[in-house]
Amino acid sequence: MRAHLQSLTLLLRLGLVIALWAWLWAAWPTLQAEWQLTQMPVPDARVEAQALAAESRFAEALTVLALAPPGPETDRLRAAIEAERDHWRRQGRALLSGALTGDGDSTAALTGAVVADLLVFGDVRDLVIQGGRALRGEPTDPVLVGLSSAGLLLTAVPSADLGTAVLKLARRTGALSARVGRQVLQMTRRAVQRGDLGPWRRTATAVGQLSAETGPAVGIRLLHLVDDVDELPLMTRLARQPAIRQGLLWAGRPGLVLAKTHGDDGAALLARAARHGDAGVRFALRRSVVLLKPHPLLGMIKTVYKGTLPRLLIQQWPQLMMALMGILGAYGALLMLRLIALFGHKKTRGP
């Protein structure tokens, strides 16, 4: 009787171990993808930052440099890039060019264009240019006309005025999607013709906040990913974190869709992937369905516990899961050996 009870106990324990192991095994595709992501090489962000700075893309260089490990070398490179960016001759020429033409591809030129718009000169300049084209029978840009007209109305609202200037730059460079362009045109017409400034003020303010977070150059690149003005608050929130911001720049529109669809988990995946460079972000986009697949164990850790240790467990959960699977596998093998030994002993004793 005692031997039968012992056999039953071992069988129940082995069944429980097998069930737990199978439960953990359900997360194997996610574990495999996580492992592949963590094993991808981490490029030296300082090298890419130097390359971008050599092309006078200082805002993007500083964004990439935010991913570099902190230290004296990173600090020296950041100071060198900022010094080159702020060189007065370079700045002066670019600022003047941007103010006069309302265009440019450097941070300084974009800043000059924005400053001109903030001082009303830019809005008047663009209305004159578009009016001259209309008189010559050339095609005009109704969005730019609407933006300049609304800019004159919103001069007393600094954040909205900044957003108007950035939207005009984005329109000139083709960074506004067709849908956003139509939405902006409708809002500016309502603002100018009916005096309904509310929707336009909210949109322009959101764009101004995005530009204030990232600078005009990076802000325009991020604005290119937006396909609806309702996405602007989300983009501004995401852009506050350098790793997510760089992940979005590498991922493009799919990155914003990922963060919009999966919330904080999608944004966190972008940030982790950005540490592995453009290749890491592309991998995360391809395997996002697997990488974002929830597992009950991880869910329990997130739901039940809070604090530093649980955060560490969440970050290391692939290794934790593999360790648990290994322990359960070893324990299951031990139980199996004990069962075999027990049945062998019963056979030698006979009935």
Side-chain angles (χ1 to χ4, degrees):
M1 181 66 181
R2 183 177 180 183
H4 286 295
L5 183 60
Q6 188 177 8
S7 300
L8 181 60
T9 302
L10 286 172
L11 283 171
L12 288 174
R13 288 160 65 184
L14 181 60
L16 180 60
V17 167
I18 292 173
L20 287 173
W21 196 89
W23 182 60
L24 295 175
W25 174 257
W28 178 253
T30 302
L31 294 176
Q32 187 181 36
E34 286 279 0
W35 178 255
Q36 290 174 329
L37 178 59
T38 57
Q39 293 306 301
M40 295 183 73
V42 179
D44 191 342
R46 291 169 293 207
V47 174
E48 184 168 358
Q50 286 177 317
L52 289 169
E55 299 174 8
S56 298
R57 296 164 64 183
F58 301 113
E60 294 172 58
L62 292 172
T63 297
V64 171
L65 192 59
L67 302 179
E73 186 176 348
T74 301
D75 293 339
R76 284 194 295 270
L77 179 57
R78 181 180 293 105
I81 292 174
E82 290 174 346
E84 181 67 15
R85 178 197 64 186
D86 297 336
H87 190 279
W88 68 271
R89 288 182 179 176
R90 177 193 300 273
Q91 289 285 88
R93 287 195 298 268
L95 279 168
L96 182 60
S97 173
L100 292 176
T101 65
D103 206 349
D105 55 4
S106 69
T107 300
L110 294 175
T111 302
V114 169
V115 169
D117 281 303
L118 292 176
L119 296 175
V120 185
F121 165 75
D123 293 323
V124 174
R125 174 202 61 210
D126 290 332
L127 286 174
V128 170
I129 291 174
Q130 294 300 317
R133 288 179 177 175
L135 290 174
R136 293 191 299 270
E138 298 175 0
T140 60
D141 189 332
V143 176
L144 276 179
V145 172
L147 286 169
S148 299
S149 302
L152 292 174
L153 288 175
L154 294 174
T155 300
V157 186
S159 59
D161 204 20
L162 174 60
T164 304
V166 173
L167 280 168
K168 288 168 65 177
L169 287 169
R171 178 66 176 181
R172 291 193 193 95
T173 58
L176 281 188
S177 72
R179 183 179 182 183
V180 172
R182 290 193 298 270
Q183 291 175 327
V184 165
L185 182 58
Q186 291 171 357
M187 290 179 185
T188 55
R189 283 176 174 171
R190 288 174 60 184
V192 174
Q193 297 173 1
R194 306 178 192 174
D196 183 7
L197 301 180
W200 171 245
R201 182 185 289 111
R202 287 191 294 273
T203 298
T205 299
V207 174
Q209 290 171 344
L210 175 62
S211 180
E213 290 285 347
T214 65
V218 175
I220 287 175
R221 285 194 60 192
L222 292 174
L223 193 59
H224 182 60
L225 312 183
V226 174
D227 196 42
D228 190 292
V229 293
D230 291 337
E231 296 175 344
L232 286 170
L234 171 64
M235 176 61 83
T236 302
R237 181 171 63 82
L238 294 172
R240 292 192 182 104
Q241 301 183 48
I244 299 177
R245 182 193 314 160
Q246 188 58 47
L248 287 168
L249 291 174
W250 277 324
R253 172 70 187 174
L256 181 59
V257 173
L258 183 71
K260 183 178 179 180
T261 305
H262 296 279
D264 291 341
D265 290 337
L269 175 59
L270 269 182
R272 285 191 293 116
R275 301 292 178 183
H276 300 276
D278 180 65
V281 172
R282 300 299 169 191
F283 175 83
L285 289 176
R286 288 196 307 270
R287 304 299 303 277
S288 60
V289 174
V290 174
L291 287 167
L292 291 170
K293 185 178 180 181
H295 190 272
L297 180 60
L298 182 62
M300 284 192 298
I301 293 174
K302 288 182 175 180
T303 303
V304 177
Y305 299 101
K306 298 185 182 296
T308 303
L309 179 60
R311 280 199 302 270
L312 181 62
L313 292 177
I314 290 169
Q315 292 170 1
Q316 302 299 324
W317 81 275
Q319 294 88 333
L320 174 65
M321 297 273 279
M322 290 180 180
L324 284 174
M325 289 172 69
I327 293 170
L328 285 172
Y331 185 54
L334 178 62
L335 291 174
M336 184 70 72
L337 289 174
R338 291 179 63 183
L339 275 170
I340 293 172
L342 182 62
F343 283 116
H345 180 66
K346 289 172 65 177
K347 285 182 180 180
T348 57
R349 290 181 57 186

